[in-house]
Amino acid sequence: MLKLDLSYAKLNENLNDYQDKVSEAHKWLHEKTGQGNDFVGWVEWPNNYDKEEFDRIIALSEKLQGKFDVLLVCGIGGSYLGARAALEMVKGLYPEGPEVIFVGNTFSNTYISQVLRHIEGKSVVLNVISKSGTTTETSISFRIFKQYIEEKFGKEEAKWRIIATTDKNRGTLKELADKEGYEEFVVPDDIGGRYSVFTAVGLLPLALAGVDIKAMMEGSKLAYEAYKSEKIEENDAYKYAVARRILDNMGYKSEMFVTYNLQLTMIAEWWKQLFGESEGKDGLGLLPSSACFSTDLHSLGQFIQQGQKVLFETLFLIDNMPEDIIFPEDAENLDNMNYLAGKKISWVNEMAMQGTLSAHTEEGGVPNILVHLEDNSAKAFGYMIYFFFKACGMSCYLLGINPFNQPGVEVYKKKMFKLLGKN
Ligand code: PA5
């Protein structure tokens, strides 16, 4: 389902030289003995996820089917990126079914006002998602949209229109949800935000939006099996992790995640958060960046080809995307484009990819890692996410850092709270 190609990576060390370190880190992940060991619940999650809660998610999504026009998903960071990435990858940018709008991820007053105006007169359901229950961006939007729903539909209807996903036992959101009588779902204690898309954090909004979450969990289980070996030569997730470390040692300090499809740009955003928050600490880590080609070949392409040699690219390629278009013939050919008549647009995109790969690697001296995914199904999404989870955990442990905390994020919060007058 997923193929890793390191033949353009120009690595100057052997992957297998890292076997001892990888075996040690593999134990940390699987035996919960490494740094941040309270947060490795995601490793076994594809096998032992809460089936009862899963059934409750399916039941709720069936019960609410057809009862709303707009689903507001209120959360930030790991509490929204996975769901948004899945939705766009699997269903595209303008899918059928309820409209899904992500809020609670910004202080932008204009965005919040525009969403309020946009949902006017529509039937709205809101899923608020926060593990801590206190994240300011989410809390601000939640209060505004909660009041909107209560005003438009009444306090009684708000009870089924608002669903909370939060900690099982504690936190402000948990207390509020108990008091208001909302249906609640759980963010497990041992799974951090950016590793949580297979929990209710991702599953509930995706089920409500019509994504096949059973297939997604099947994909994660297949990937669990595929990436459970400690041997580098049998485990592509570990190969990718080690290749990143080798490229880091070679002086490439930024990894650019490249897609060739606009509906995959949120996968890049999800990936940037996963690696950025997990790896960027103690003065270490690769800077995760992203680009969508060929669009960004007309902006970042120049730098990649001829600028400072600080980055390598990881191409995330989906081999079978649906909805192809055949480029039409034009009798007058005023635009001189008939040389492509009869060709599929996917073929043009593929040729752009091959040409760019050759330009960047052969002439630009930019190492490339290729990650091929079979298709854009929910199952493939689940498989690919688990691949990156495993690679990220391994990458961080190879670097000697805790992949599961984010102490740096607190610094801006402290300064902001002081300015906001929060006690
Ligand atoms: O990965 C993480 O842990 C973070 O990005 C969190 O998901 C993000 O800060 C939101 O936190 P919370 O779910 O507590 O509102």
Side-chain angles (χ1 to χ4, degrees):
M1 192 162 278
L2 184 148
K3 271 195 225 116
L4 178 75
D5 179 355
L6 294 176
S7 59
Y8 301 89
K10 304 169 191 269
L11 305 177
N12 68 357
E13 288 180 81
N14 282 325
L15 297 177
N16 287 335
D17 293 350
Y18 284 73
Q19 187 59 64
D20 289 349
K21 283 185 181 166
V22 165
S23 294
E24 189 181 29
H26 177 82
K27 277 205 185 77
W28 293 340
L29 284 172
H30 281 263
E31 294 173 13
K32 305 186 181 182
T33 47
Q35 293 187 65
N37 57 350
D38 288 349
F39 287 95
V40 285
W42 57 269
V43 174
E44 291 294 332
W45 191 252
N47 298 320
N48 65 13
Y49 66 92
D50 184 341
K51 310 285 182 308
E52 230 172 79
E53 183 170 74
F54 188 88
D55 290 345
R56 208 153 58 80
I57 290 172
I58 297 280
L60 183 63
S61 66
E62 285 170 359
K63 191 172 120 193
L64 293 184
Q65 210 183 355
K67 294 213 171 73
F68 62 96
D69 312 310
V70 174
L71 169 65
L72 296 173
V73 182
C74 186
I76 194 166
S79 287
Y80 96 103
L81 282 163
R84 185 157 177 195
L87 188 66
E88 294 192 5
M89 172 175 146
V90 175
K91 297 199 77 179
L93 293 173
Y94 304 103
E96 285 175 3
E99 185 179 7
V100 184
I101 303 178
F102 291 88
V103 295
N105 53 27
T106 176
F107 291 129
S108 163
N109 50 314
T110 52
Y111 180 71
I112 299 170
S113 323
Q114 284 159 20
V115 174
L116 279 167
R117 205 165 48 241
H118 179 74
I119 62 176
E120 191 59 50
K122 296 179 181 158
S123 175
V124 177
V125 160
L126 167 66
N127 179 200
V128 56
I129 308 169
S130 177
K131 181 167 180 163
S132 62
T134 53
T135 302
T136 318
E137 289 86 342
T138 304
S139 301
I140 283 187
S141 279
F142 179 51
R143 180 185 284 196
I144 292 170
F145 288 103
K146 174 180 183 283
Q147 287 188 357
Y148 175 89
I149 289 173
E150 287 173 353
E151 201 181 290
K152 295 286 167 192
F153 305 100
K155 199 91 179 143
E156 207 38 45
E157 259 194 47
K159 280 187 187 159
W160 67 263
R161 288 188 183 270
I162 299 178
I163 312 153
T165 306
T166 189
D167 189 273
K168 190 160 68 180
N169 302 308
R170 42 181 189 269
T172 313
L173 179 57
K174 165 73 188 156
E175 284 167 28
L176 183 154
D178 284 351
K179 234 181 184 160
E180 298 285 16
Y182 302 150
E183 179 144 11
E184 294 175 38
F185 294 88
V186 171
V187 192
D189 283 343
D190 58 354
I191 298 183
R194 55 192 176 275
Y195 296 84
S196 69
V197 64
F198 295 131
T199 73
V201 170
L203 296 178
L204 179 60
L206 289 170
L208 289 169
V211 172
D212 183 352
I213 60 169
K214 281 186 188 152
M216 186 170 136
M217 293 311 290
E218 264 170 49
S220 75
K221 173 94 170 93
L222 288 175
Y224 173 89
E225 293 299 329
Y227 306 123
K228 71 179 181 195
S229 170
E230 71 175 68
K231 292 216 172 71
I232 298 173
E233 56 194 18
E234 292 171 5
N235 189 329
D236 278 354
Y238 291 172
K239 278 187 200 158
Y240 171 56
V242 173
R244 297 178 79 252
R245 290 282 66 90
I246 294 174
L247 288 162
D248 189 352
N249 294 338
M250 288 166 72
Y252 298 102
K253 297 298 175 190
S254 180
E255 178 176 13
M256 184 172 274
F257 189 88
V258 175
T259 59
Y260 272 83
N261 201 304
L262 287 170
Q263 79 189 68
L264 302 177
T265 55
M266 285 310 297
I267 298 284
E269 295 308 310
W270 170 86
W271 173 91
K272 281 195 282 192
Q273 193 226 355
L274 178 70
F275 280 88
E277 260 190 359
S278 300
E279 203 176 62
K281 49 197 81 144
D282 301 344
L284 297 167
L286 295 166
L287 168 70
S289 58
S290 67
C292 184
F293 292 167
S294 68
T295 313
D296 292 333
L297 288 173
H298 297 258
S299 65
L300 293 168
Q302 172 59 39
F303 182 94
I304 299 165
Q305 190 70 46
Q306 294 179 332
Q308 269 202 73
K309 295 296 151 207
V310 287
L311 65 87
F312 66 93
E313 294 168 293
T314 293
L315 272 51
F316 175 59
L317 305 167
I318 296 197
D319 293 335
N320 299 295
M321 288 298 282
E323 304 183 84
D324 220 339
I325 289 177
I326 309 271
F327 190 64
E329 176 95 38
D330 188 289
E332 291 188 73
N333 195 27
L334 295 175
D335 54 9
N336 289 327
M337 293 299 288
N338 267 355
Y339 77 103
L340 290 177
K343 302 281 194 228
K344 289 178 179 170
I345 300 294
S346 65
W347 178 82
V348 177
N349 210 13
E350 170 71 21
M351 294 307 107
M353 189 283 283
Q354 285 184 19
T356 308
L357 178 64
S358 159
H360 288 185
T361 56
E362 288 161 25
E363 290 179 38
V366 178
N368 270 224
I369 293 174
L370 275 56
V371 176
H372 285 272
L373 192 65
E374 201 171 291
D375 56 41
N376 69 326
S377 63
K379 191 170 173 179
F381 174 85
Y383 194 101
M384 172 272 294
I385 291 288
Y386 193 84
F387 166 84
F388 282 119
F389 279 169
K390 208 70 193 286
C392 184
M394 176 53 70
S395 251
C396 294
Y397 276 159
L398 289 176
L399 211 49
I401 54 170
N402 179 351
F404 310 117
N405 63 1
Q406 52 283 330
V409 181
E410 297 311 311
V411 183
Y412 100 88
K413 287 186 191 169
K414 268 195 201 140
K415 298 210 182 257
M416 177 182 74
F417 289 149
K418 201 168 167 210
L419 292 166
L420 292 174
K422 186 182 179 191
N423 296 320

